[in-house]
Amino acid sequence: MTAVTKKAENPIAHLSPEDIEEIGQRLDAIRQEVLDSRGASDAAYIRRVIKTQRYLELGSRAVLLGSIFPPAFIVGTAGLSVAKILDNMEIGHNILHGQWDWMRDPKIHSTTWEWDNVTPSDQWKHSHNELHHTYTNVIGKDNDLGYGIMRVDEDQPWHPFFMFQPVWNFINACFFEYGIAAYDLELGKNLKTPKEKRSAEFTANSKAVLAKIRKQAAKDYVVHPLLSLPTGSFLPTLAANFTANIVRNLWTHSVIMCGHFPEGVETFEKKSIEGETRGEWYLRQMLGSANISGSKALHMMSGNLSHQIEHHLFPDLPSNRYAEVAPKVRAIFDEYDLNYHTAPMPKQVASAWHRFVRLSFPNGWLATTNAKNLPQQLVALYKISTADKRKRRVMLKLLERKANQQAAEYVPAA
């Protein structure tokens, strides 16, 4: 990827300002149609999902009381994993977006809901709802773009430590809830600040995160294992809770990767959003997101973020309505010759991982490397990595120029 305005073939160059504003008006109309039709069936849906999740979690934890027996361990762990995914994705994420605030139910409201996650809901709502959804895929503004620790775009400067980002990404996936908590705190930036100069807000937020971590850890790794102690299932229950959390984290991370990081999803420069209109904001959401095709079960387990394009266009609409509006949204993409990025989950996950690996190297290094020249390329990579900043910039530019020249000269086989 590279910022959309820097591409040789700009995918939105054919759109006039009038086209863009018309797209915005048509999407506004789709949104308003759903807002006007929300009702009892939508409310019944979210209450049914919450009830199902609660019974599933309760039942799974009851089974785990006997988790010393392998069948109970397997069934309980699987059920608890699904319950945690539902709580995180279809329930927590969407309630905290305010999708169900219109019900005026104080128990299902973005201002009162707390989820099974180490990130306090208020901190997540700020970093996700206010920042990410406002500055979607804007390099230097959207911290979700690489979570501040990974290089996911050619326009991001390369540094040798990015070579390890596939490893970081896997670790981040396993412990994703903790990574998100650190990201919400802007932990890296704040830890670099001298302690006496850190803001009171950061101190308060850090205490809130630590309190939430203690609460979650006590629930999963102390209370429930202790309840299993009389049956001799303390350690199996402890292992089941740990496994369920890892499964939930891996699943959530994969779904989110599919929504923003596959090859072909566009990024944007800061200057491109100056004076941005409603239509231009919509257009950025359309091109900066990707969908996952699949079954109804997959849609629910993904929190309907399998409809990531529709979610970014309409983050406050009930998630159960995204499947309904998706064909209307796709029709607009087709009419204006825009790429509606959708694919099965395995393909999207593989594409996102390919992007993480490709961009862990300098621009053009992977493209100019083959089996014959690998030794020379590794030497070149070592020299780039160990050079000072000035020499590195020169060497990176030469490498990128070489890759572009090879790409221009490449002629596909007939």
Side-chain angles (χ1 to χ4, degrees), residues 59-353:
S60 299
R61 291 196 181 280
V63 170
L64 288 172
L65 293 174
S67 57
I68 194 170
F69 302 105
F73 177 84
I74 293 170
V75 172
T77 303
L80 186 58
S81 299
V82 173
K84 282 179 172 285
I85 289 171
L86 284 174
D87 179 89
N88 199 165
M89 304 299 286
E90 181 67 345
I91 300 172
H93 172 273
N94 295 327
I95 289 176
L96 293 179
H97 259 295
Q99 293 180 7
W100 306 98
D101 287 1
W102 58 274
M103 293 166 55
R104 300 292 188 267
D105 184 339
K107 295 181 179 179
I108 310 175
H109 200 276
S110 62
T111 59
T112 60
W113 191 266
E114 195 56 75
W115 55 355
D116 181 28
N117 200 300
V118 299
T119 302
S121 59
D122 285 344
Q123 293 185 38
W124 182 86
K125 284 188 291 185
H126 170 70
S127 61
H128 185 80
N129 296 359
E130 297 177 25
L131 299 181
H132 168 58
H133 275 266
T134 300
Y135 301 113
T136 306
N137 283 26
V138 177
I139 301 168
K141 296 286 284 184
D142 181 9
N143 287 337
D144 272 27
L145 196 64
Y147 309 113
I149 61 171
M150 286 177 286
R151 182 173 185 256
V152 294
D153 193 275
E154 283 89 343
D155 286 346
Q156 292 175 263
W158 184 83
H159 188 277
F161 67 74
F162 284 125
M163 286 190 290
F164 300 99
Q165 74 177 23
V167 177
W168 302 342
N169 193 40
F170 178 71
I171 295 172
N172 186 43
C174 292
F175 301 98
F176 194 48
E177 59 180 321
Y178 294 94
I180 292 298
Y183 154 71
D184 290 340
L185 286 171
E186 296 187 289
L187 194 61
K189 183 183 76 173
N190 281 294
L191 288 181
K192 290 178 182 177
T193 304
K195 192 172 182 179
E196 63 276 8
K197 294 184 179 181
R198 293 173 193 166
S199 67
E201 181 184 16
F202 170 71
T203 302
N205 287 343
S206 298
K207 289 180 179 178
V209 169
L210 289 174
K212 189 77 186 293
I213 290 174
R214 286 194 295 269
K215 180 180 178 180
Q216 296 300 103
K219 172 175 66 70
D220 282 342
Y221 304 129
V222 179
V223 175
H224 286 290
L226 283 176
L227 290 174
S228 300
L229 196 58
T231 64
S233 300
F234 179 89
L235 289 178
T237 299
L238 184 70
N241 278 271
F242 179 77
T243 301
N245 282 326
I246 294 293
V247 170
R248 185 267 312 275
N249 289 338
L250 288 170
W251 176 262
T252 304
H253 181 269
S254 294
V255 170
I256 292 174
M257 278 206 314
C258 291
H260 288 297
F261 299 128
E263 302 281 12
V265 174
E266 306 294 353
T267 56
F268 305 84
E269 296 177 280
K270 285 183 184 179
K271 64 182 181 181
S272 70
I273 64 169
E274 294 174 3
E276 188 176 57
T277 66
R278 176 73 168 169
E280 289 168 339
W281 179 86
Y282 269 135
L283 186 61
R284 180 158 52 84
Q285 309 307 313
M286 294 165 76
L287 300 178
S289 307
N291 283 4
I292 306 169
S293 57
S295 65
K296 289 184 179 180
L298 181 141
H299 295 321
M300 178 178 287
M301 291 294 287
S302 70
N304 275 286
L305 293 183
S306 48
H307 298 104
Q308 185 73 253
I309 294 170
E310 288 71 26
H311 171 63
H312 262 267
L313 292 172
F314 315 119
D316 58 344
L317 293 188
S319 58
N320 63 310
R321 305 295 290 274
Y322 288 147
E324 171 190 330
V325 302
K328 300 175 184 178
V329 170
R330 185 161 192 170
I332 293 175
F333 273 79
D334 292 341
E335 183 175 340
Y336 288 91
D337 195 24
L338 298 170
N339 177 34
Y340 188 85
H341 199 313
T342 186
M345 190 169 186
K347 185 175 181 180
Q348 296 290 48
V349 170
S351 179
W353 270 101

Side-chain angles (χ1 to χ4, degrees), residues 363-365 367-368 398-409:
N363 292 347
W365 186 87
T368 56
L398 290 173
L399 177 61
E400 190 167 5
R401 189 180 303 163
K402 178 182 176 183
N404 291 336
Q405 183 178 353
Q406 284 191 11
E409 294 173 351

